[in-house]
Amino acid sequence: MKQHNIQFWLNGEKVSLQVEPSDVLLDVLRGKLGIKSPKAGCDRGDCGTCTVLMNGKTIRSCLALAVEADGAEIVTLEGANSRKWTQRLQKTFHEKNAFQCGFCAPGVILSATELLENNSRPTTHDIKEAIAGNLCRCTGYEPIVEAIEETVKGK
Amino acid sequence: MDLQKLITKPKKGAKSIRAGEELTVVGQSVPRIDGWEKIKGAAKYTDDLEFGPGLLYAALVESPFAHARIKSIDISKAEKLHGVVKVVTGGNFTQKFGLYMNDRYVFATDTVRFVGEQVAAVVATDPKIALRGAGLVKVEYEELPAVMDAVKALEKDSPLVHPDLKSYTHVPWFFPKPGTNIAHWRKIRKGDLAKGFRDADLVMEDTYSVPRYAHCAIEPHSAIGLYDASGRLTMWTSSQSPFTQRHVFAETLKSFGLSHKDVRVISTYIGGGFGGKAGVTMEIIAAALALTVPGRPVKLLWSRAQEFYNTYQRLGCTAKIKMGVSKAGKITALDFKLHWDAGAYVEYGANVVNAAGLSASGPYKVDNLSIDSMCTYTNLPPCGAYRGFGYSEFLFGLESHITRMARELGLDPVEFRMKNAIKEGDTLPYGAHMNPTGIRDAIERVRKEIRWGVKEKSKDPKKAIGKAQVCFWKSPAMPPNASSSAFLKFNEDGSINILVSGMEIGQGLLTVMAQIASEVLSVPVSKIRVETPDTDRNPYEWQTVGSHVTWGCGNAVKRAALEARERILDLVQRVHCLDKSALYLEDQHVKCRTKPDFALRFSDFVINGIQAEDHTFKGGPIMGSGVFMPEFASAISDPETGQGGHPNVHYTTGSAGIILEVDRETGKMKIKKVALAVDCGKAINPDLVRGQIVGGLLQGFATVLYEDMRYNEKGRLLNPNFSDYKIPTVMDMPDQVVPIIIEVAQPDGPFGARGVGEHTMIPCAPLIANAVEDAVGVRIKSMPVTKEKVALAVKAAKK
Ligand code: FES
Ligand code: FES
């Protein structure tokens, strides 16, 4: 199959590689670039565990083709770990024991980061809307929502 | 929310091992020790592990029929595909396996018994090639008549799912009926049922039904196997049961010359289990495939669809209940018949049926009792453990029925429960005696919390508000000799590594184990590391199921810590000539009551020993090991009555209440408030208990309000994805959840603790059904209780 050369910024570093036109961004990140925080929970856009930031906006990397990342800026939790809002969120998530198995955590944290970077005074409804695409089977969501609210208050 | 305030003070307080001193770490909501790893995205799950460029991928050939004979398999085309390394069929593996009953094969050999069953596998250098290869395998089938319904499966002319049932080996407490589809029949007979019904002022009979459900852990199953040139098999599996898996792998594949020591199972973090990753499902396929490609790791990764149709599902259940009650509100008789649809293979599911059969009286004193819990084979996917292990299913019928009968007699349903609730020492359905329980306290606390008895009105005239309160209990379902063990070792700086094989499945096991050791040894939790298991290095744990590891594994860790403590004290007594009874541990030092200025820092001696006066060193690395087995348990009883054994180690009890708003026109339901009180004996980490309550409730409510597995008449699952099988999002949270922790100590639990993981989901179905009736006057007797069902019932009632 024809290979494409693509280049993009991944967590602040420039990467270039060859992909097939049908290669999915999530698979390329995990399989070829060693980036493991985005997870494959459903491979069809339903669960949000594959969430990454593309040019500052959350996308489901299981629904994006790798060729779409050409020229873009991709940030995963590995890269977001140094962002201000991500760190504040992580601190409260930790204190409040917000996650259990943790499989949904990278996706939830990126969705919450996107929200707070654009709106530092969200209502509870805004918070819920921001993470409504991230399924969590363990927590019942309450500790996650509470931790985000607390992060907002504590800023 | 301040959880400490929510805790009811223990009646019989768990004794601190430092007599007279308060617990300092146990009972505190410390942050999880695996918290940062997970929150930073550093935690590795099985599919995140790297195996290098030699990694092979497997794809399966699956049965399109619910029941068929395999006439031929042609693998020649697939074998020729460039990149295919191996094509494997059932003929290569003929040993049956199972957890409690050996009724499964690695691959279907001559018969397929459910849609999606594995028939062959293609191993290739790339996952896409493996899939393409699987499409090239030609299987010729002869379709056979199939049975999809547990009640129809009992009819005389029903097709037999396992004609060879007679030859299957199983645990001694199963009673299969060869020549039928009955895989196990648990009977309980206690007291005089006929007399109980004669003594009743009201007898009511009805049927309640519960469909199958899927666990929907967000991480799909995955397994990687490597059979190396030296003949050892290493498996990396996403599993709740590394040791049970090792045993099943070794037993099933022993014809390849494997013994237990040659099989190593490594389980990293898992992205949710809920019972779905207990036992052995797809992992055996990866193990078998690894043997066919020596020297190369091979990965099998379940798709979300396979996650739905080819792992364990929750059993479907039809419950026929007949209950007698006196005017005064005493249950005089209960005749409970549970028909379980356990699917094509019941090696695990039959024990769900057994567990429910032992306990279907619920947390009530019922002197005249008959329970028939019948495990039936059908041509639907195999069922197994699911958080609650059969209790959600029978509680739906039982707790619905109790409320209806109380109402019919003009009695208060909560008072009714209070009156019949089981007490410590009461006789259990199988004859043993009830452990200490805080159930009355739980009922009382919940009753207050939901303002029971106060009728509430919705601001919206189209909506009505209903209330309900129910009780629950559950015991760990495990073999009587299921055991736990732990190693604990000190490091140079006085920090500790603990090795256990209880799995961190999200519940917080690692943190709780650290807290237990911390309490005994006075080493802060931040200086203790507990890792997920590797069967080569970590000691034995049966499985992480049944909400038993805080109790079982916790006891083992406590014993390991006590042993390490003994070694420390012995050493100090020997070298410093201090009386051991005067020594104690505090703040990472050994101190002495009779010599206040004596303080020996752990980091000064726990590895390199203590220097004696003659300059020699005494001691050496401080370690401890601990083992726990419930030596009082036994599963052997009279098959006709169930009397005689002690199959269950103890019960955790509780009560839950709800305030529910129901739209009369659309049937839409909104949970305004839910309160759940559970007697966990001792909350070692209250925040983590709260996590179980809040998370378990939402998972429970989802089974009542939205979820439902739909099959067509050919046995094909119609909704194997999250678009068509809806699990709750953050938008579906109840308005308010009130967790209530009751602490009546479990005498044989670590610091009095008993399990709580499953209990928080099991009361949800009757809560909703009873509150719907309270609100809009209709009774729904089949799960799920969807808004459509409610709206239609309200409409029908108006006519
Ligand atoms: S894996 Fe992308 S949304 Fe589920
Ligand atoms: S913490 Fe397990 S899925 Fe969210």
Side-chain angles (χ1 to χ4, degrees):
Chain A
M1 207 172 302
K2 193 168 169 300
Q3 300 270 322
H4 286 253
N5 281 314
I6 59 168
Q7 274 199 353
F8 59 94
W9 291 90
L10 175 61
N11 296 329
E13 269 174 49
K14 199 170 213 168
V15 294
S16 42
L17 74 162
Q18 288 209 323
V19 296
E20 287 182 14
S22 64
D23 280 349
V24 171
L25 178 57
L26 175 63
D27 298 341
V28 168
L29 288 173
R30 289 178 54 83
K32 294 198 171 154
L33 297 167
I35 294 290
K36 303 292 188 181
S37 81
K39 313 283 182 210
C42 71
D43 281 321
R44 48 173 278 160
D46 290 329
C47 75
T49 54
C50 62
T51 301
V52 302
L53 296 167
M54 185 191 262
N55 299 326
K57 288 209 166 57
T58 50
I59 60 155
R60 288 160 191 255
S61 62
C62 73
L63 293 183
L65 293 173
V67 287
E68 294 176 66
D70 197 16
E73 191 201 21
I74 304 288
V75 175
T76 66
L77 186 56
E78 286 86 347
N81 273 331
S82 58
R83 284 160 107 112
K84 186 185 75 184
W85 277 113
T86 311
Q87 290 180 348
R88 288 181 183 171
L89 282 162
Q90 285 167 328
K91 189 167 167 290
T92 21
F93 281 138
H94 181 251
E95 282 161 8
K96 304 213 66 159
N97 286 322
F99 293 101
Q100 291 184 24
C101 80
F103 200 73
C104 66
V108 171
I109 294 171
L110 288 179
S111 296
T113 299
E114 182 192 28
L115 169 74
L116 299 189
E117 285 185 352
N118 291 300
N119 173 7
S120 60
R121 295 182 174 283
T123 62
T124 302
H125 185 77
D126 295 335
I127 291 171
K128 287 188 179 177
E129 218 147 57
I131 60 166
N134 294 96
L135 294 179
C136 172
R137 190 57 152 173
C138 302
T139 64
Y141 301 103
E142 190 182 271
I144 296 175
V145 174
E146 276 181 16
I148 301 175
E149 286 176 329
E150 201 122 306
T151 310
V152 172
K153 274 193 236 138
K155 74 179 154 70
Chain B
M1 169 176 348
D2 182 359
L3 268 149
Q4 303 296 334
K5 273 200 212 128
L6 292 172
I7 299 178
T8 302
K9 277 276 155 268
K11 293 224 168 78
K12 293 178 206 154
K15 276 233 177 69
S16 160
I17 54 109
R18 287 163 295 159
E21 286 175 42
E22 283 289 303
L23 297 176
T24 56
V25 186
V26 161
Q28 301 300 316
S29 291
V30 304
R32 307 174 62 105
I33 63 172
D34 53 350
W36 281 118
E37 243 176 306
K38 289 174 173 174
I39 290 165
K40 289 273 179 188
K44 290 275 178 287
Y45 302 81
T46 307
D47 186 38
D48 297 339
L49 304 175
E50 289 285 2
F51 293 89
L55 179 63
L56 301 174
Y57 301 83
L60 296 187
V61 180
E62 299 170 334
S63 166
F65 297 109
H67 199 190
R69 195 173 329 280
I70 299 171
K71 287 169 67 184
S72 66
I73 304 179
D74 178 2
I75 60 171
S76 56
K77 270 217 178 95
E79 277 182 322
K80 285 194 197 102
L81 185 67
H82 184 70
V84 167
V85 176
K86 197 96 197 173
V87 182
V88 181
T89 62
N92 309 41
F93 302 96
T94 50
Q95 174 71 37
K96 279 205 289 300
F97 74 96
L99 212 54
Y100 294 96
M101 155 116 78
N102 287 313
D103 66 356
R104 285 198 87 157
Y105 288 102
V106 180
F107 294 97
T109 47
D110 52 359
T111 309
V112 287
R113 295 186 175 84
F114 69 95
V115 174
E117 181 168 6
Q118 63 271 19
V119 174
V122 174
V123 179
T125 52
D126 173 286
K128 287 177 191 166
I129 298 173
L131 262 181
R132 227 173 299 143
L136 294 175
V137 174
K138 288 275 157 295
V139 187
E140 236 192 299
Y141 297 94
E142 178 197 329
E143 205 179 342
L144 299 171
V147 57
M148 316 290 177
D149 179 287
V151 177
K152 282 202 188 115
L154 300 178
E155 287 169 6
K156 267 220 161 59
D157 54 351
S158 165
L160 284 186
V161 183
H162 289 269
D164 297 334
L165 180 56
K166 196 172 182 341
S167 67
Y168 295 178
T169 52
H170 53 79
V171 291
W173 65 89
F174 279 5
F175 308 106
K177 308 278 173 243
T180 76
N181 284 316
I182 300 172
H184 173 43
W185 187 345
R186 164 55 59 196
K187 295 181 191 173
I188 292 286
R189 302 287 183 267
K190 185 185 161 209
D192 183 342
L193 197 69
K195 180 177 179 303
F197 281 119
R198 277 198 308 276
D199 292 347
D201 294 299
L202 176 67
V203 175
M204 192 190 264
E205 225 178 315
D206 218 327
T207 302
Y208 300 84
S209 64
V210 183
R212 289 167 165 243
Y213 289 100
H215 306 77
C216 300
I218 309 295
E219 177 209 27
H221 285 64
S222 64
I224 298 98
L226 172 62
Y227 182 57
D228 73 16
S230 76
R232 78 163 315 181
L233 174 69
T234 306
M235 298 293 305
W236 291 262
T237 63
S238 171
S239 168
Q240 296 175 231
S241 318
F243 268 97
T244 290
Q245 293 201 334
R246 185 185 72 161
H247 180 59
V248 171
F249 296 156
E251 289 284 306
T252 313
L253 304 171
K254 68 171 166 243
S255 62
F256 293 79
L258 289 172
S259 81
H260 285 68
K261 73 165 179 34
D262 305 323
V263 182
R264 175 180 184 188
V265 178
I266 300 173
S267 293
T268 60
Y269 286 123
I270 71 172
F274 314 111
K277 288 174 185 152
V280 175
T281 55
M282 53 84 84
E283 301 82 9
I284 188 82
I285 304 173
L289 292 179
L291 296 180
T292 69
V293 286
R296 302 191 67 178
V298 55
K299 177 186 275 195
L300 184 64
L301 180 58
W302 248 206
S303 68
R304 179 51 60 184
Q306 286 170 312
E307 196 63 26
F308 273 96
Y309 65 70
N310 194 3
T311 57
Y312 298 126
Q313 300 174 3
R314 196 171 106 175
L315 291 79
C317 180
T318 304
K320 294 178 200 265
I321 181 166
K322 181 179 173 192
M323 190 183 239
V325 175
S326 74
K327 264 200 220 112
K330 190 176 157 29
I331 301 171
T332 59
L334 172 62
D335 183 2
F336 211 169
K337 292 188 169 39
L338 299 155
H339 290 280
W340 301 89
D341 156 21
Y345 303 98
V346 305
E347 43 96 17
Y348 202 160
N351 207 45
V352 174
V353 173
N354 193 65
L358 292 171
S359 303
S361 63
Y364 304 107
K365 184 171 185 285
V366 183
D367 296 332
N368 304 306
L369 177 66
S370 168
I371 302 171
D372 294 273
S373 190
M374 203 182 278
C375 179
T376 309
Y377 280 120
T378 61
N379 291 112
L380 291 176
C383 293
Y386 184 120
R387 189 179 199 173
F389 214 72
Y391 286 65
S392 300
E393 295 87 320
F394 77 70
L395 278 175
F396 174 56
L398 181 70
E399 288 292 300
S400 295
H401 212 67
I402 284 180
T403 290
R404 291 174 67 196
M405 292 197 72
R407 291 251 188 254
E408 183 91 17
L409 283 165
L411 302 168
D412 179 288
V414 176
E415 209 36 58
F416 183 96
R417 288 178 167 86
M418 188 67 105
K419 184 170 279 171
N420 290 282
I422 197 150
K423 288 194 190 78
E424 179 178 355
D426 278 350
T427 312
L428 294 161
Y430 42 82
H433 297 285
M434 180 63 184
N435 52 279
T437 167
I439 189 167
R440 287 187 163 68
D441 211 357
I443 296 175
E444 201 44 53
R445 295 284 300 277
V446 169
R447 166 151 65 181
K448 281 211 187 87
E449 195 58 53
I450 61 163
R451 300 180 299 277
W452 178 254
V454 181
K455 187 76 196 155
E456 285 173 42
K457 247 187 136 164
S458 173
K459 288 187 204 95
D460 184 340
K462 286 205 297 288
K463 295 177 180 163
I465 289 183
K467 292 186 182 179
Q469 184 172 344
V470 304
C471 294
F472 58 87
W473 76 345
K474 189 183 176 295
S475 166
M478 46 188 233
N481 52 351
S483 57
S484 305
S485 51
F487 291 150
L488 178 149
K489 45 186 190 160
F490 270 97
N491 302 313
E492 289 85 340
D493 61 353
S495 65
I496 291 174
N497 286 78
I498 295 175
L499 301 179
V500 291
S501 295
M503 267 308 285
E504 172 57 55
I505 59 176
Q507 82 283 49
L509 175 88
L510 303 183
T511 309
V512 164
M513 295 305 113
Q515 284 181 263
I516 289 173
S518 169
E519 188 67 54
V520 176
L521 293 167
S522 84
V523 173
V525 169
S526 60
K527 285 184 78 173
I528 301 177
R529 185 174 276 283
V530 193
E531 294 274 2
T532 54
D534 167 343
T535 56
D536 259 20
R537 319 243 153 115
N538 298 33
Y540 183 84
E541 174 73 48
W542 166 63
Q543 300 198 86
T544 297
V545 297
S547 313
H548 91 292
V549 285
T550 295
W551 174 75
C553 196
N555 272 326
V557 167
K558 191 174 170 194
R559 288 176 182 183
L562 287 169
E563 188 178 291
R565 181 175 171 272
E566 277 306 292
R567 292 198 176 165
I568 291 174
L569 300 184
D570 282 343
L571 177 66
V572 173
Q573 163 166 289
R574 179 155 67 96
V575 183
H576 285 282
C577 301
L578 293 167
D579 185 13
K580 197 170 143 189
S581 64
L583 296 174
Y584 64 100
L585 308 185
E586 189 177 84
D587 193 20
Q588 308 175 68
H589 288 77
V590 184
K591 296 190 177 171
C592 181
R593 286 195 191 82
T594 53
K595 212 174 160 200
D597 57 341
F598 180 84
L600 188 60
R601 217 172 25 190
F602 291 175
S603 57
D604 288 341
F605 73 92
V606 286
I607 292 292
N608 294 319
I610 304 176
Q611 196 163 26
E613 272 176 6
D614 64 355
H615 308 298
T616 61
F617 286 86
K618 310 291 176 206
I622 299 290
M623 297 185 278
S625 68
V627 171
F628 178 73
M629 184 188 268
E631 293 187 344
F632 56 89
S634 120
I636 304 304
S637 59
D638 177 357
E640 290 311 313
T641 64
Q643 303 299 309
H646 198 318
N648 287 339
V649 289
H650 59 253
Y651 288 85
T652 298
T653 60
S655 183
I658 194 172
I659 305 179
L660 183 77
E661 187 178 66
V662 187
D663 187 313
R664 285 192 190 86
E665 272 164 32
T666 64
K668 202 165 179 295
M669 287 158 274
K670 177 86 201 145
I671 299 166
K672 310 295 281 179
K673 183 174 191 173
V674 53
L676 185 141
V678 61
D679 176 11
C680 55
K682 173 75 197 168
I684 291 178
N685 185 321
D687 211 13
L688 297 183
V689 174
R690 175 207 175 195
Q692 290 305 303
I693 294 178
V694 177
L697 279 170
L698 191 61
Q699 191 173 9
F701 285 129
T703 61
V704 203
L705 299 171
Y706 325 110
E707 298 176 21
D708 187 358
M709 297 190 104
R710 297 287 178 95
Y711 290 90
N712 70 9
E713 69 290 347
K714 289 287 198 183
R716 177 178 293 277
L717 181 64
L718 299 172
N719 53 345
N721 59 65
F722 289 143
S723 319
D724 302 313
Y725 184 99
K726 288 267 183 233
I727 67 169
T729 73
V730 69
M731 295 302 184
D732 302 306
M733 274 169 60
D735 286 356
Q736 192 192 356
V737 182
V738 182
I740 301 169
I741 294 171
I742 310 282
E743 296 185 321
V744 175
Q746 177 62 31
D748 60 1
F751 300 99
R754 61 172 88 77
V756 59
E758 298 164 278
H759 309 76
T760 58
M761 110 163 243
I762 62 180
C764 290
L767 268 185
I768 295 278
N770 290 344
V772 163
E773 188 182 54
D774 190 46
V776 294
V778 297
R779 170 57 59 177
I780 311 287
K781 292 182 278 188
S782 65
M783 281 175 71
V785 184
T786 57
K787 56 182 193 248
E788 293 79 15
K789 244 186 226 174
V790 173
L792 290 172
V794 171
K795 211 165 152 200
K798 270 190 198 147
K799 276 186 199 148

